[in-house]
PDB file of all heavy atoms in Angstrom:
ATOM      1  N   GLY A  35      -3.018  16.082  -7.436  1.00 98.00           N
ATOM      2  CA  GLY A  35      -2.067  15.891  -8.536  1.00 98.00           C
ATOM      3  C   GLY A  35      -1.125  14.736  -8.232  1.00 98.00           C
ATOM      4  O   GLY A  35      -0.981  14.341  -7.038  1.00 98.00           O
ATOM      5  N   LEU A  36      -0.476  14.225  -9.278  1.00 98.00           N
ATOM      6  CA  LEU A  36       0.564  13.205  -9.132  1.00 98.00           C
ATOM      7  C   LEU A  36       1.850  13.884  -9.458  1.00 98.00           C
ATOM      8  O   LEU A  36       2.182  14.077 -10.640  1.00 98.00           O
ATOM      9  CB  LEU A  36       0.281  12.018 -10.054  1.00 98.00           C
ATOM     10  CG  LEU A  36       1.296  10.888  -9.980  1.00 98.00           C
ATOM     11  CD1 LEU A  36       1.301  10.228  -8.615  1.00 98.00           C
ATOM     12  CD2 LEU A  36       1.005   9.835 -11.064  1.00 98.00           C
ATOM     13  N   ALA A  37       2.611  14.281  -8.404  1.00 98.00           N
ATOM     14  CA  ALA A  37       3.731  15.185  -8.603  1.00 98.00           C
ATOM     15  C   ALA A  37       5.072  14.506  -8.680  1.00 98.00           C
ATOM     16  O   ALA A  37       5.329  13.550  -7.946  1.00 98.00           O
ATOM     17  CB  ALA A  37       3.772  16.220  -7.512  1.00 98.00           C
ATOM     18  N   ALA A  38       5.939  15.017  -9.563  1.00 98.00           N
ATOM     19  CA  ALA A  38       7.335  14.626  -9.625  1.00 98.00           C
ATOM     20  C   ALA A  38       8.162  15.891  -9.882  1.00 98.00           C
ATOM     21  O   ALA A  38       7.652  16.897 -10.436  1.00 98.00           O
ATOM     22  CB  ALA A  38       7.594  13.678 -10.806  1.00 98.00           C
ATOM     23  N   ARG A  39       9.413  15.900  -9.423  1.00 98.00           N
ATOM     24  CA  ARG A  39      10.283  17.059  -9.773  1.00 98.00           C
ATOM     25  C   ARG A  39      10.406  17.110 -11.260  1.00 98.00           C
ATOM     26  O   ARG A  39      10.770  16.137 -11.922  1.00 98.00           O
ATOM     27  CB  ARG A  39      11.646  16.872  -9.119  1.00 98.00           C
ATOM     28  CG  ARG A  39      11.780  17.653  -7.805  1.00 98.00           C
ATOM     29  CD  ARG A  39      13.174  17.506  -7.295  1.00 98.00           C
ATOM     30  NE  ARG A  39      14.072  18.337  -8.034  1.00 98.00           N
ATOM     31  CZ  ARG A  39      14.955  19.166  -7.443  1.00 98.00           C
ATOM     32  NH1 ARG A  39      15.030  19.246  -6.138  1.00 98.00           N
ATOM     33  NH2 ARG A  39      15.786  19.878  -8.202  1.00 98.00           N
ATOM     34  N   ALA A  40      10.144  18.300 -11.820  1.00 98.00           N
ATOM     35  CA  ALA A  40      10.073  18.435 -13.263  1.00 98.00           C
ATOM     36  C   ALA A  40      11.438  18.346 -13.900  1.00 98.00           C
ATOM     37  O   ALA A  40      11.549  18.146 -15.126  1.00 98.00           O
ATOM     38  CB  ALA A  40       9.416  19.774 -13.642  1.00 98.00           C
ATOM     39  N   ASP A  41      12.516  18.472 -13.110  1.00 98.00           N
ATOM     40  CA  ASP A  41      13.887  18.431 -13.682  1.00 98.00           C
ATOM     41  C   ASP A  41      14.507  17.019 -13.525  1.00 98.00           C
ATOM     42  O   ASP A  41      15.682  16.858 -13.811  1.00 98.00           O
ATOM     43  CB  ASP A  41      14.764  19.484 -13.044  1.00 98.00           C
ATOM     44  CG  ASP A  41      14.873  19.336 -11.511  1.00 98.00           C
ATOM     45  OD1 ASP A  41      13.996  18.664 -10.927  1.00 98.00           O
ATOM     46  OD2 ASP A  41      15.826  19.883 -10.933  1.00 98.00           O
ATOM     47  N   ILE A  42      13.726  16.064 -13.031  1.00 98.00           N
ATOM     48  CA  ILE A  42      14.249  14.679 -12.952  1.00 98.00           C
ATOM     49  C   ILE A  42      13.480  13.831 -13.966  1.00 98.00           C
ATOM     50  O   ILE A  42      12.348  13.434 -13.720  1.00 98.00           O
ATOM     51  CB  ILE A  42      14.082  14.101 -11.500  1.00 98.00           C
ATOM     52  CG1 ILE A  42      14.778  15.039 -10.457  1.00 98.00           C
ATOM     53  CG2 ILE A  42      14.670  12.666 -11.461  1.00 98.00           C
ATOM     54  CD1 ILE A  42      14.665  14.536  -9.011  1.00 98.00           C
ATOM     55  N   ASP A  43      14.126  13.590 -15.105  1.00 98.00           N
ATOM     56  CA  ASP A  43      13.420  12.904 -16.223  1.00 98.00           C
ATOM     57  C   ASP A  43      12.899  11.536 -15.821  1.00 98.00           C
ATOM     58  O   ASP A  43      11.771  11.209 -16.236  1.00 98.00           O
ATOM     59  CB  ASP A  43      14.366  12.736 -17.421  1.00 98.00           C
ATOM     60  CG  ASP A  43      14.488  14.059 -18.203  1.00 98.00           C
ATOM     61  OD1 ASP A  43      13.808  15.025 -17.872  1.00 98.00           O
ATOM     62  OD2 ASP A  43      15.298  14.078 -19.167  1.00 98.00           O
ATOM     63  N   ASP A  44      13.625  10.792 -15.043  1.00 98.00           N
ATOM     64  CA  ASP A  44      13.134   9.449 -14.659  1.00 98.00           C
ATOM     65  C   ASP A  44      11.834   9.566 -13.847  1.00 98.00           C
ATOM     66  O   ASP A  44      10.931   8.717 -14.017  1.00 98.00           O
ATOM     67  CB  ASP A  44      14.178   8.693 -13.813  1.00 98.00           C
ATOM     68  CG  ASP A  44      15.286   8.140 -14.678  1.00 98.00           C
ATOM     69  OD1 ASP A  44      15.141   8.220 -15.929  1.00 98.00           O
ATOM     70  OD2 ASP A  44      16.291   7.675 -14.112  1.00 98.00           O
ATOM     71  N   ALA A  45      11.799  10.566 -12.992  1.00 98.00           N
ATOM     72  CA  ALA A  45      10.616  10.768 -12.139  1.00 98.00           C
ATOM     73  C   ALA A  45       9.419  11.160 -13.001  1.00 98.00           C
ATOM     74  O   ALA A  45       8.315  10.666 -12.841  1.00 98.00           O
ATOM     75  CB  ALA A  45      10.916  11.835 -11.068  1.00 98.00           C
ATOM     76  N   VAL A  46       9.651  12.048 -13.959  1.00 98.00           N
ATOM     77  CA  VAL A  46       8.575  12.512 -14.880  1.00 98.00           C
ATOM     78  C   VAL A  46       8.070  11.298 -15.671  1.00 98.00           C
ATOM     79  O   VAL A  46       6.856  11.117 -15.848  1.00 98.00           O
ATOM     80  CB  VAL A  46       9.042  13.661 -15.769  1.00 98.00           C
ATOM     81  CG1 VAL A  46       7.941  14.011 -16.800  1.00 98.00           C
ATOM     82  CG2 VAL A  46       9.417  14.860 -14.942  1.00 98.00           C
ATOM     83  N   THR A  47       9.015  10.490 -16.129  1.00 98.00           N
ATOM     84  CA  THR A  47       8.639   9.267 -16.898  1.00 98.00           C
ATOM     85  C   THR A  47       7.722   8.382 -16.064  1.00 98.00           C
ATOM     86  O   THR A  47       6.739   7.775 -16.571  1.00 98.00           O
ATOM     87  CB  THR A  47       9.869   8.514 -17.379  1.00 98.00           C
ATOM     88  OG1 THR A  47      10.677   9.404 -18.121  1.00 98.00           O
ATOM     89  CG2 THR A  47       9.493   7.329 -18.261  1.00 98.00           C
ATOM     90  N   ARG A  48       8.037   8.251 -14.782  1.00 98.00           N
ATOM     91  CA  ARG A  48       7.229   7.407 -13.881  1.00 98.00           C
ATOM     92  C   ARG A  48       5.775   7.890 -13.825  1.00 98.00           C
ATOM     93  O   ARG A  48       4.884   7.065 -13.635  1.00 98.00           O
ATOM     94  CB  ARG A  48       7.820   7.362 -12.477  1.00 98.00           C
ATOM     95  CG  ARG A  48       9.032   6.442 -12.341  1.00 98.00           C
ATOM     96  CD  ARG A  48       9.442   6.287 -10.887  1.00 98.00           C
ATOM     97  NE  ARG A  48       8.385   5.742 -10.095  1.00 98.00           N
ATOM     98  CZ  ARG A  48       8.300   5.872  -8.743  1.00 98.00           C
ATOM     99  NH1 ARG A  48       9.200   6.571  -8.074  1.00 98.00           N
ATOM    100  NH2 ARG A  48       7.268   5.297  -8.091  1.00 98.00           N
ATOM    101  N   ILE A  49       5.571   9.192 -13.922  1.00 98.00           N
ATOM    102  CA  ILE A  49       4.191   9.728 -13.916  1.00 98.00           C
ATOM    103  C   ILE A  49       3.367   9.070 -15.020  1.00 98.00           C
ATOM    104  O   ILE A  49       2.235   8.629 -14.795  1.00 98.00           O
ATOM    105  CB  ILE A  49       4.173  11.246 -14.101  1.00 98.00           C
ATOM    106  CG1 ILE A  49       4.740  12.010 -12.901  1.00 98.00           C
ATOM    107  CG2 ILE A  49       2.733  11.747 -14.396  1.00 98.00           C
ATOM    108  CD1 ILE A  49       4.772  13.510 -13.042  1.00 98.00           C
ATOM    109  N   PHE A  50       3.930   9.038 -16.228  1.00 97.00           N
ATOM    110  CA  PHE A  50       3.206   8.483 -17.380  1.00 97.00           C
ATOM    111  C   PHE A  50       2.888   6.987 -17.174  1.00 97.00           C
ATOM    112  O   PHE A  50       1.795   6.555 -17.459  1.00 97.00           O
ATOM    113  CB  PHE A  50       3.998   8.700 -18.673  1.00 97.00           C
ATOM    114  CG  PHE A  50       4.108  10.150 -19.096  1.00 97.00           C
ATOM    115  CD1 PHE A  50       5.196  10.945 -18.703  1.00 97.00           C
ATOM    116  CD2 PHE A  50       3.127  10.740 -19.835  1.00 97.00           C
ATOM    117  CE1 PHE A  50       5.298  12.279 -19.073  1.00 97.00           C
ATOM    118  CE2 PHE A  50       3.175  12.077 -20.234  1.00 97.00           C
ATOM    119  CZ  PHE A  50       4.278  12.833 -19.837  1.00 97.00           C
ATOM    120  N   HIS A  51       3.872   6.269 -16.645  1.00 97.00           N
ATOM    121  CA  HIS A  51       3.669   4.820 -16.414  1.00 97.00           C
ATOM    122  C   HIS A  51       2.607   4.642 -15.351  1.00 97.00           C
ATOM    123  O   HIS A  51       1.731   3.779 -15.476  1.00 97.00           O
ATOM    124  CB  HIS A  51       4.981   4.158 -15.982  1.00 97.00           C
ATOM    125  CG  HIS A  51       5.999   4.107 -17.087  1.00 97.00           C
ATOM    126  ND1 HIS A  51       5.645   3.874 -18.391  1.00 97.00           N
ATOM    127  CD2 HIS A  51       7.333   4.289 -17.072  1.00 97.00           C
ATOM    128  CE1 HIS A  51       6.714   3.906 -19.177  1.00 97.00           C
ATOM    129  NE2 HIS A  51       7.757   4.202 -18.392  1.00 97.00           N
ATOM    130  N   ALA A  52       2.701   5.395 -14.255  1.00 97.00           N
ATOM    131  CA  ALA A  52       1.763   5.206 -13.150  1.00 97.00           C
ATOM    132  C   ALA A  52       0.320   5.448 -13.581  1.00 97.00           C
ATOM    133  O   ALA A  52      -0.615   4.740 -13.175  1.00 97.00           O
ATOM    134  CB  ALA A  52       2.141   6.151 -11.994  1.00 97.00           C
TER     135      ALA A  52
END
Side-chain angles (χ1 to χ4, degrees):
L36 180 64
R39 263 184 75 131
D41 59 340
I42 304 180
D43 281 356
D44 283 350
V46 175
T47 304
R48 282 189 61 202
I49 291 179
F50 291 94
H51 293 321

